[in-house]
Amino acid sequence: MKIKFGLLPRIIVAIALGVLIGSFAPEWMARIFATFTTIFGNFLNFIVPLIILGFIAPGIAQLGKGSGKLLGLATFFAYASTIAAGILAFFAATTILPNFMEAGAMSGIEDPEKALATSFIALDMPPVFGVMSALILAFLLGIGMASTGSKTMISFFEEFQAIIEKTISYVIIPLLPFHIFGIFANMAYGGAVAKILSLFAVVFVMIIILHWVMLMLQYTAAGTLNKKNPMRLLKTMLPAYFTALGTQSSAATIPVTVRQARETGANEKVVDFAVPLFATIHLSGSTITIVSCSIGVLLLTGGVPSFSSYLPFIFMLGVTMIAAPGVPGGAVMAAIGLLEAMLGFDPTMVALMIALYLAQDSFGTAANVTGDGALAMIVDRFTNGKKVLQ
């Protein structure tokens, strides 16, 4: 039987090897690693606007299909849950993380001449257009396609999205372990890796706890509205949670999520409509992860996270991750542009974000899909599903 070596084990091995080899690597070897990470980082900068356009435009267009009242309520509750998760993560991370890490501990590595090895070559890959241009264009085209029902444009962007997904699945994701290896080898070469690994441990534990706090809030709301035991409802949805842990994909878990959501007593027609929709627009677990990780990276690099800067980021994140592909790392790939444009992340900070996110991507996905069951019950309660879909 062939044993599949998944992305998470590859990320862990890449980090371990990077730390080990980077600690003893001579300068010429460190510069080889830096050359790869620089070129790959430039490629990420090139493709980020295309990812934004490819995800958001068809995602918004597809939201125009379906029953009006049900679609509106489902979208509202999914977005509200995602935003609430981001705000929860912000206050938890800004309260907890400063107690476990030294502010600005990594600020010295921002000067490559002082710490990090430099690339042998400079290969510029300017993006076709900027991040904000991509966001505005995606919103404009997505809303336009949804309102006009243009089959030609929708078909084009669905195929364009498929191309971007293939690029992520067959180019970016396979090369990410090497990119992360290079980043950590360079960090070890520059003497900052111990501080990074301490961040990983603290953030990982905090994020898992926040996921379960958010799930308890979601199921408490669903249980209260439907006069059912929240813990029993959550127990019913556990098969979806563990399926998502294994697949790392909300889309791949849809059949299990639908089956378990029906067992909660929610109307089958509402569940059949809402759960596949939530798989693309409800990302409370991923939002907790991205917000928490980004605050950790900001603190390490000397940044000061403020609620006034993070609230717009959280609102935009809830939209940008719409229709993120059903592949590991899809949400963080869609968020790279916002991290750069709204929080000022540089390539090193983005690489750390990717590594932090992918280290627990399956847990974020599990929180997303498990929460879908609670939202389906809430939508059913507010729409009286037996009538709305007749």
Side-chain angles (χ1 to χ4, degrees):
M1 181 178 68
K2 185 178 180 181
I3 300 176
K4 184 178 180 181
F5 197 52
L7 180 62
L8 178 57
R10 282 182 280 153
I11 294 293
I12 294 173
V13 170
I15 292 172
L17 288 177
V19 172
L20 178 64
I21 296 175
S23 299
F24 303 99
E27 182 181 358
W28 64 267
M29 184 179 294
R31 292 190 67 186
I32 291 176
F33 303 150
T35 299
F36 175 81
T37 57
T38 299
I39 293 174
F40 188 81
N42 289 342
F43 176 70
L44 282 180
N45 289 334
F46 168 80
I47 202 170
V48 161
L50 302 180
I51 290 175
I52 291 172
L53 184 62
F55 290 172
I56 297 179
I60 294 176
Q62 290 162 4
L63 291 182
K65 305 172 183 177
S67 176
K69 182 180 179 181
L70 183 59
L71 174 65
L73 280 173
T75 302
F76 169 77
F77 284 119
Y79 188 67
S81 175
T82 299
I83 300 306
I87 294 174
L88 170 68
F90 173 83
F91 285 110
T94 52
T95 301
I96 296 171
L97 294 184
N99 298 317
F100 292 91
M101 63 184 65
E102 179 186 352
M106 270 181 53
S107 57
I109 68 168
E110 293 178 2
D111 185 353
E113 298 298 325
K114 293 182 179 180
L116 296 184
T118 55
S119 172
F120 279 114
I121 61 174
L123 185 60
D124 292 332
M125 302 180 193
V128 178
F129 37 70
V131 169
M132 292 309 299
S133 296
L135 282 169
I136 294 171
L137 184 60
F139 289 138
L140 178 64
L141 292 175
I143 294 171
M145 288 185 288
S147 61
T148 62
S150 173
K151 294 181 179 180
T152 302
M153 288 286 290
I154 291 175
S155 176
F156 169 81
F157 274 98
E158 287 176 348
E159 292 182 10
F160 180 66
Q161 182 182 29
I163 293 173
I164 296 299
E165 289 181 357
K166 290 288 186 182
T167 303
I168 292 175
S169 298
Y170 294 103
V171 179
I172 295 178
I173 295 298
L175 290 178
L176 270 178
F178 297 98
H179 182 53
I180 291 171
F181 164 82
I183 288 291
F184 275 83
N186 218 349
M187 294 294 180
Y189 176 79
V193 73
K195 297 166 184 175
I196 303 299
L197 293 180
S198 66
L199 169 66
F200 268 56
V202 174
V203 172
F204 189 92
V205 173
M206 185 190 71
I207 286 172
I208 300 293
I209 294 173
L210 287 177
H211 284 164
W212 280 95
V213 169
M214 191 64 196
L215 286 174
M216 289 303 302
L217 292 174
Q218 291 168 338
Y219 278 91
T220 297
T224 301
L225 288 171
N226 290 275
K227 298 180 180 179
K228 295 184 178 181
N229 187 327
M231 295 304 297
R232 186 169 296 175
L233 294 173
L234 185 54
K235 181 180 178 181
T236 300
M237 293 300 300
L238 284 181
Y241 183 89
F242 289 108
T243 301
L245 279 180
T247 63
Q248 293 183 265
S249 170
S250 297
T253 313
I254 286 175
V256 179
T257 310
V258 168
R259 183 189 67 197
Q260 298 307 123
R262 287 176 176 178
E263 292 186 11
T264 64
N267 180 267
E268 289 189 5
K269 291 183 179 180
V270 173
V271 168
D272 292 348
F273 176 90
V275 167
L277 177 64
F278 288 148
T280 61
I281 67 174
H282 177 231
L283 296 120
S284 57
S286 299
T287 301
I288 286 172
T289 304
I290 290 174
V291 171
S292 300
C293 291
S294 66
I295 289 173
V297 172
L298 272 178
L299 290 173
L300 275 183
T301 53
V304 180
S306 65
F307 189 65
S308 60
S309 64
Y310 259 84
L311 187 60
F313 172 73
I314 292 168
F315 277 111
M316 289 299 298
L317 191 62
V319 176
T320 303
M321 292 190 300
I322 288 177
V327 296
V332 74
M333 289 301 162
I336 289 175
L338 295 182
L339 291 168
E340 294 175 337
M342 301 185 73
L343 298 182
F345 273 43
D346 60 29
T348 298
M349 296 167 74
V350 168
L352 289 174
M353 270 296 303
I354 293 173
L356 277 168
Y357 183 90
L358 291 179
Q360 65 75 67
D361 183 29
S362 58
F363 291 94
T365 301
N368 292 340
V369 302
T370 307
D372 292 348
L375 293 192
M377 294 185 65
I378 293 172
V379 170
D380 182 37
R381 175 67 178 81
F382 275 90
T383 59
N384 191 11
K386 294 182 179 179
K387 296 180 180 179
V388 77
L389 287 176
Q390 287 179 350

